[in-house]
Amino acid sequence: MATTRPPVTIRPADVAEHFLGIIGLYQAHDWTHAGDPTRLRIAIEHSSFAVVALEEERVVGFARAMSDEAFAVYIADILVSPDRQRQGIGRTLAQAILDHYPMDRFHHQVLVAERGAEGFYRRLGMVPVTSYGLTAFIRTRA
Ligand SMILES: CC(C)(COP(=O)(O)OP(=O)(O)OC[C@H]1O[C@@H](n2cnc3c(N)ncnc32)[C@H](O)[C@@H]1OP(=O)(O)O)[C@@H](O)C(=O)NCCC(=O)NCCS
């Protein structure tokens, strides 16, 4: 008999309550943030807006953004648990961020897509900066 999963709900992230679940997502994707929990906690606490996707108590997704709260928002991370991908959770998380910074008030919403995630962002209606004759620059540790 097929089992029914509990519904996934999107909530503002509460660092005290959700941090272990959130860092678990970074670990699951082998992102470097997971190796430095203290800095990751600071990063989340200083994000302008952060949301979790909860399946009952379990954190199955996380997204965060930084903004000047007037013109621009930068979406920093979107992560969905590997066993829960391609079920609409990433879209719902991203939409929660994009709705929080609506285009009728904000000038632009930007992000740097990880390799392999371009198609996901295109499905959300985002376009490469080159579409506007712009060039994005980055300085990073390789
Ligand atoms: C990228 C990620 C957040 C997508 O989350 P998800 O819950 O699997 O995505 P959704 O199920 O909401 O997909 C929404 C749409 O994007 C499509 N999509 C999802 N991942 C995709 C991918 N990697 N490439 C192309 N299309 C993708 C889905 O098919 C769906 O299309 P539809 O509108 O036709 O139904 C998730 O795969 C993830 O956590 N990846 C690892 C971390 C990462 O790279 N994050 C991005 C950082 S820039």
Side-chain angles (χ1 to χ4, degrees):
M1 196 171 78
T3 53
T4 313
R5 283 186 182 274
V8 171
T9 55
I10 305 295
R11 301 262 172 78
D14 177 329
V15 178
E17 190 180 344
H18 303 131
F19 187 69
L20 281 181
I22 292 169
I23 197 168
L25 294 175
Y26 285 84
Q27 286 164 343
H29 290 292
D30 209 20
W31 279 17
T32 51
H33 310 59
D36 195 337
T38 304
R39 278 213 295 168
L40 178 58
R41 198 177 184 112
I42 291 169
I44 296 169
E45 285 171 346
H46 287 77
S47 296
S48 312
F49 187 57
V51 284
V52 286
L54 296 175
E55 189 180 67
E56 296 187 319
E57 304 295 304
R58 181 187 171 211
V59 178
V60 294
F62 174 68
R64 67 187 181 97
M66 278 88 79
S67 176
D68 60 10
E69 305 296 340
F71 290 102
V73 57
Y74 167 65
I75 301 171
D77 302 332
I78 302 185
L79 298 131
V80 174
S81 179
D83 66 309
R84 299 293 271 111
Q85 288 177 7
R86 300 283 181 143
Q87 295 164 41
I89 296 172
R91 176 191 286 283
T92 311
L93 284 164
Q95 203 58 56
I97 300 260
L98 299 177
D99 289 350
H100 192 77
Y101 299 100
M103 286 309 297
D104 57 350
R105 283 201 294 118
F106 282 78
H107 186 268
H108 58 265
Q109 304 163 328
V110 295
L111 60 92
V112 175
E114 287 287 322
R115 286 184 192 89
E118 304 92 344
F120 169 68
Y121 291 110
R122 286 180 192 274
R123 295 296 303 151
L124 297 181
M126 304 193 82
V127 294
V129 293
T130 50
S131 307
Y132 292 99
L134 302 172
T135 305
F137 288 89
I138 188 168
R139 186 167 182 245
T140 181
R141 277 189 282 175

